[in-house]
Amino acid sequence: MATCAQPRPLLVGPRLPALRHLGPNWYATVMGTAIVANAGVTVPLALPGLRPACTVVWALSAVLLCALLLARAGHWAYHRDQAGAHLLDPAVAPFYGCVAMALLSVGSGTVAVGRDVIGPEAALAGGAVLWCVGTVIGLACAVAIPYLMVVRHRVEPGSASPVWLLAVVAPMVSAAIGPQLIPHLPGGQWQESMLLACYAMFGVSLLATLVMLPLIFARLVHRGPLPLALTPTLFLVLGPLGQSATAVNTLADVAPDAIGAPYASGLGAFAVLYGVPVMGFALLWLALAAAMVVRAARDGMPFAMTWWAFTFPVGTCVTGAAGLARHTGLDAFSALAGALYAVLVVAWAVAGFRTLRGLVSGALLAAPRVPRPVTARTR
């Protein structure tokens, strides 16, 4: 007589445990890789083989984006409790802004260099989709994360962090990349609306940055240097600075065909009048942040995913300097863009190698050694 089949035992414990501690900060690897390609094609220097190399790096960033989107989908599917805890952690929640910036950065590279591989029409379509999705996510994060900080997170006085800027800088990235799409829109109302929408997002991010930056500097002055592992996050301040200088210059590039006189000429002048002082402050902050990193390195600063802060923010300064070189014709800005690009490439290579080694060893996906304290308000 046939016997009944024994029921299969239920799975016990978390599924896909390797994904449990995969946070949104991993999107920084996509941003940091894509900016190497995006900045490389803007550097006003004739370097043989640079464009093909940028195309390879863009392809790598696209592969990383696809892999990370799948991994993060698995994280939400199988470790929803941990994903929810990330949203309620003021140290992790701002990294959700990196989702938008990863999409936007790869989209920009798709239009700029991806067309050499997939063709201009496919590149434009892909870039437009990624820009739209990234912009919606970025604007949502710019509202949702500060809302959570106010009503759900428990933020101690004097604990402001450069990481907070990640929640509000994505609209600035949209403003800087949007001009790639403006020439492909119908003339008249469509192009002018897109141009002014980009300026509106420029304002959203800039004013939010101006609210947060004094808190960050006050924390440094009153509480001293950041913990060693967090010291690289000081470079995140360069993101909105360099990206805003990039935005005003790329918008000025397309303004003559998108908006009538006298606004077009005024926007061209604004690109220089705004961009030069902001790049000056960015260099001041770069020197301060670099000095703090050297100090932390002497004290034994360990490798962490925060090292990716050395990539994307520096890349925005490259594109900002390149934009000023276009509008002023000064060789000094060309040289600055080239020097910063060299720094970017070295930082990307070091962060990429150390990340790959940490993945192979499993150290970067291991559970934190010390449990995080409860940071969410109950009501």
Side-chain angles (χ1 to χ4, degrees):
M1 184 175 64
T3 58
C4 296
Q6 295 295 322
R8 298 178 64 181
L10 295 175
L11 291 175
V12 179
R15 301 172 68 181
L16 298 178
L19 300 181
R20 180 162 181 79
H21 301 287
L22 183 74
N25 58 320
W26 279 82
Y27 284 103
T29 63
V30 180
M31 297 162 52
T33 302
I35 198 66
V36 173
N38 299 347
V41 296
T42 67
V43 173
L45 300 174
L47 299 177
L50 179 58
R51 188 175 181 88
C54 289
T55 304
V56 172
V57 175
W58 161 78
L60 176 60
S61 71
V63 171
L64 285 174
L65 177 62
C66 294
L68 195 52
L69 288 172
L70 288 174
R72 286 288 297 166
H75 177 82
W76 273 94
Y78 299 128
H79 304 287
R80 193 164 299 174
D81 61 324
Q82 185 74 1
H86 285 164
L87 280 173
L88 296 179
D89 188 337
V92 180
F95 283 101
Y96 274 91
C98 294
V99 181
M101 289 185 279
L103 294 168
L104 292 166
S105 299
V106 174
S108 177
T110 301
V111 176
V113 298
R115 62 189 181 190
D116 297 342
V117 178
I118 62 177
E121 293 184 359
L124 179 60
V129 170
L130 290 173
W131 185 88
C132 291
V133 175
T135 297
V136 170
I137 295 175
L139 290 172
C141 287
V143 175
I145 302 304
Y147 173 82
L148 289 175
M149 292 173 68
V150 172
V151 303
R152 297 299 301 274
H153 296 167
R154 179 166 295 150
V155 181
E156 298 297 330
S159 62
S161 166
V163 171
W164 290 6
L165 296 172
L166 294 172
V168 299
V169 75
M172 187 69 79
V173 180
S174 294
I177 294 174
Q180 286 183 320
L181 306 178
I182 290 178
H184 303 282
L185 295 173
Q189 290 282 330
W190 281 92
Q191 289 191 356
E192 185 173 345
S193 297
M194 180 68 163
L195 181 76
L196 296 183
C198 288
Y199 273 108
M201 289 186 287
F202 165 86
V204 166
S205 186
L206 176 63
L207 296 177
T209 298
L210 293 178
V211 169
M212 294 182 178
L213 191 54
L215 300 176
I216 295 168
F217 187 70
R219 181 257 177 264
L220 294 173
V221 171
H222 293 297
R223 298 260 179 133
L226 296 175
L228 295 181
L230 295 179
T231 301
T233 63
L234 289 171
F235 274 68
L236 295 177
V237 176
L238 297 175
L241 299 176
Q243 199 66 264
S244 64
T246 302
V248 294
N249 281 280
T250 55
L251 288 166
D253 289 338
V254 298
D257 294 328
I259 195 169
Y263 299 108
S265 58
L267 295 176
F270 176 67
V272 176
L273 295 176
Y274 173 87
V276 172
V278 168
M279 282 302 300
F281 180 69
L283 293 177
L284 171 65
W285 190 272
L286 176 61
L288 174 63
M292 298 295 289
V293 167
V294 170
R295 177 184 180 277
R298 289 176 176 174
D299 291 339
M301 180 180 69
F303 173 75
M305 291 299 290
T306 53
W307 282 35
W308 282 95
F310 297 140
T311 57
F312 188 83
V314 174
T316 67
C317 293
V318 174
T319 55
L324 289 172
R326 291 196 308 272
H327 286 95
T328 64
L330 293 177
D331 293 337
F333 284 116
S334 298
L336 176 61
L340 290 174
Y341 188 69
V343 173
L344 168 63
V345 171
V346 172
W348 172 72
V350 172
F353 173 77
R354 296 295 296 272
T355 301
L356 183 60
R357 190 168 72 175
L359 276 174
V360 172
S361 68
L364 289 180
L365 293 177
R369 294 182 180 180
V370 179
R372 291 185 178 273
V374 177
T375 54
R377 295 190 179 111
T378 57
R379 50 184 296 180

